[in-house]
Structures are given as C-alpha cells and as structure tokens.
C-alpha cells in the first residue's frame, strides 16, 4: 500500500467539488460547533471550502487544510471571489502541524479517507495537540454497514463480483460551458483491515469532444462506533459524545451516520 494518502480529490474531481458542492445540512450543523467553541476553529479536510467560505463570510475565525493542493486551490479561489481571506494550506491530517491552537477542530466528510488505521490514529493525536485546553474535536463518519450495496463484499464469495462494472456516469454542465462526468465503483473490500477501495473515472467534454480524462483511487477505512471511542480515548481525549448525524441526539441502532465530539481537558 502506498504511504501517501490515496484520495481522488484532484484535477477534474476538485473541479467537480468546487462547482457542484456548495450546500448541505453539515454547513449549519458544524457552524453551531464553531460558534459554540467561541474561538479560532480549524476545518480539516476543508476541500473547496463548502463550510469554510460561508463561515469566513459570517466573520468566524476559521483556518483550513486539506491533503489535496487542487482542493485548497479551489478553496482559495472561492474565498478570493467572495472578497474573503483565510489561512488555508495543503497537509494530510496525519501530518497536521498547524500554526496556532484552536477551540474547535472539525472534520466534515474526511475522516478515514485516503488513510489506514495507523495514520488515522496519528491524525487523532495531532487533532488533540492542535486543540487549546478545553477545546473540542468534532467529526462525522459513515458506519461500515452504511452502504447496503457493499454488504456482499464482506464475504469471500461476494468479492468475486469485484471490481464492479462501471455504472452510467453522472454528468453536469460547468459554468464555463463544458461538461464534467464522474462514475465511481468499488474495486476491493478488505474486511480484516476494514478498508474499501473505490475508483472514480472523470471526463471533461467541451462541445462534445473529450478533452480530459482521469482515473483516481480512494481508500476509505471503516470504523464502528466503539472502536472510534476507544481510539479517541487512546489519543488523549476525555468526555466523548456520539450523536446521530447532524444532530445533538443520541444515535439509535437504525442510524448509519454519526458525529463524534471529544474534548481536550
Ligand atoms: C468529501 S470531501 C469533503 C470536503 C469538505 N470537508 C466538505 O465537507 O465540503 C473530502 C476531503 O477530504 C480530503 N482528504 C482526503 N484524505 C485526506 C487526508 N488524509 N488528509 C487531509 N485531507 C484529506 C480530500 O482532499 C477532500 O477535500
């Protein structure tokens, strides 16, 4: 396995995120944590700034970082277009080394991506170090059983169907008159290490002519609730809460998407 985080948020995929991902309930949800934290916040895996840009527009003191230089570039362009500034930089979360301490560190849709367990454990230790005493880490995760389509791949016989055939791509028109298309498929699921490997094929057409095509891989490490709680404790966090995704309510067994909030003493 490569040492570098394996993510697909580069090139055309970064363009896709920047053009087509600018809303969602996470924006208001994480804003509540940032405002409640009452001090500087760090948006880890900030991507193209879906959360960071509106927070800066609201006057919140938020920095951001992401492993993908293309996503960070898209974030900077969005900030500049809105006449805003923020300290954003390119860094993998397991190498996090921020310039200041934060009251809130948050990760929306990024924990476990491009990773492996040892790097995620290191990331949690670095999140802890990045917090001021009394500060809070907040992040969301999809549970391993979230995608029912993947269930057969947990069994040896089920994995005979991998890699999946490419599905029909999703196509969107870009602001500059081109067309982007993306398709994703599962290529492997390792149940012992709880890692799913996906591929994404992206294409750009201008006036019907193919002008760019890319193939990317993404590994996702899957975590169950209690193993994440144990990992947070082992990383030095106290006072750990688990919520149903984008709420402050306790999760039920029917939930597949959770939020973890953990405080540094
Ligand atoms: C699903 S996007 C979410 C972006 C943003 N948080 C949002 O909600 O719009 C995931 C982001 O995680 C970043 N990422 C993936 N693996 C990472 C890692 N190991 N360290 C830091 N960022 C990572 C990707 O580059 C991408 O920008």
């Amino acid at each position: 396995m490569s040492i570098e985080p394996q993510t697909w948020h580069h090139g055309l995929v970064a363009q896709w995120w920047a053009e087509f991902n600018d809303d969602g309930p996470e924006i208001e949800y994480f804003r509540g944590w940032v405002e409640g934290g009452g001090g500087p916040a760090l948006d880890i895996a900030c991507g193209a700034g879906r959360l960071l840009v509106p927070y800066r527009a609201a006057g919140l003191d938020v920095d951001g970082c992401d492993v993908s230089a293309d996503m960070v570039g898209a974030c900077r362009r969005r900030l500049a277009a809105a006449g805003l500034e923020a300290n954003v930089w390119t860094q993998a979360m397991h190498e996090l080394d921020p310039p200041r301490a934060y009251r809130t560190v948050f990760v929306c849709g990024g924990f476990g991506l491009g990773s492996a367990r040892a790097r995620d454990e290191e990331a949690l230790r670095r999140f802890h170090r990045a917090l001021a005493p009394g500060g809070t880490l907040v992040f969301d995760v999809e549970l391993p059983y979230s995608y029912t389509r993947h269930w057969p791949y947990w069994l040896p016989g089920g994995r005979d169907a991998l890699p999946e055939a490419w599905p029909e791509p999703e196509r969107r028109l870009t602001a500059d008159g081109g067309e982007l298309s993306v398709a994703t498929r599962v290529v492997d699921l390792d149940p012992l290490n709880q890692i799913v490997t996906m591929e994404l094929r992206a294409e750009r057409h201008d006036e019907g002519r193919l002008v760019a095509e890319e193939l990317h891989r993404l590994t996702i490490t899957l975590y169950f609730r209690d193993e994440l709680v144990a990992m947070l404790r082992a990383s030095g966090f106290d006072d750990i809460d688990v919520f149903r995704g984008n709420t402050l309510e306790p999760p039920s067994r029917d939930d597949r998407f959770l939020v973890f909030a953990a405080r540094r003493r």
Side-chain angles (χ1 to χ4, degrees), residues 42-186:
L42 176 59
D43 181 352
I44 293 176
C46 64
R50 186 171 64 108
L51 281 64
L52 186 139
V53 174
Y55 296 174
R56 290 294 300 126
L60 296 168
D61 181 8
V62 185
D63 295 344
C65 62
D66 194 284
V67 72
S68 162
D70 289 348
M71 292 295 261
V72 170
C75 183
R76 289 195 178 120
R77 284 191 292 281
R78 263 191 185 170
L79 284 163
L84 300 167
E85 288 183 352
N87 185 19
V88 290
W89 67 91
T90 305
Q91 197 160 56
M93 59 181 83
H94 71 285
E95 293 172 343
L96 181 70
D97 185 18
R100 56 179 175 155
Y102 300 91
R103 294 289 308 166
T104 310
V105 166
F106 63 100
V107 195
C108 174
F111 189 76
L113 295 191
S115 70
R117 182 172 298 258
R119 286 200 297 262
D120 286 341
E121 288 167 348
E122 177 61 19
L124 291 178
R125 287 191 287 272
R126 287 177 182 247
F127 298 169
H128 186 265
R129 222 179 294 155
L131 284 166
T136 305
L137 165 69
V138 193
F139 63 98
D140 54 14
V141 290
E142 291 279 352
L143 289 165
Y145 44 86
S146 181
Y147 296 101
T148 51
R149 187 169 62 88
H150 299 183
W151 287 6
Y153 309 146
W154 287 79
L155 300 171
R159 285 193 292 283
D160 291 346
L162 296 178
E164 291 177 335
W166 286 106
E168 198 47 39
E170 186 182 346
R171 301 171 201 282
R172 304 280 287 267
L173 294 178
T174 58
D176 61 0
E179 185 198 78
L180 285 181
S181 67
V182 299
T184 63
R185 65 174 186 173
V186 177

Side-chain angles (χ1 to χ4, degrees), residues 13-34:
V13 187
Q15 196 183 337
W16 178 279
W17 265 88
E19 289 240 5
F20 308 127
N21 286 291
D22 58 4
D23 58 8
E26 303 85 7
I27 301 174
E28 279 314 300
Y29 181 71
F30 282 91
R31 185 205 296 258
W33 285 100
V34 171

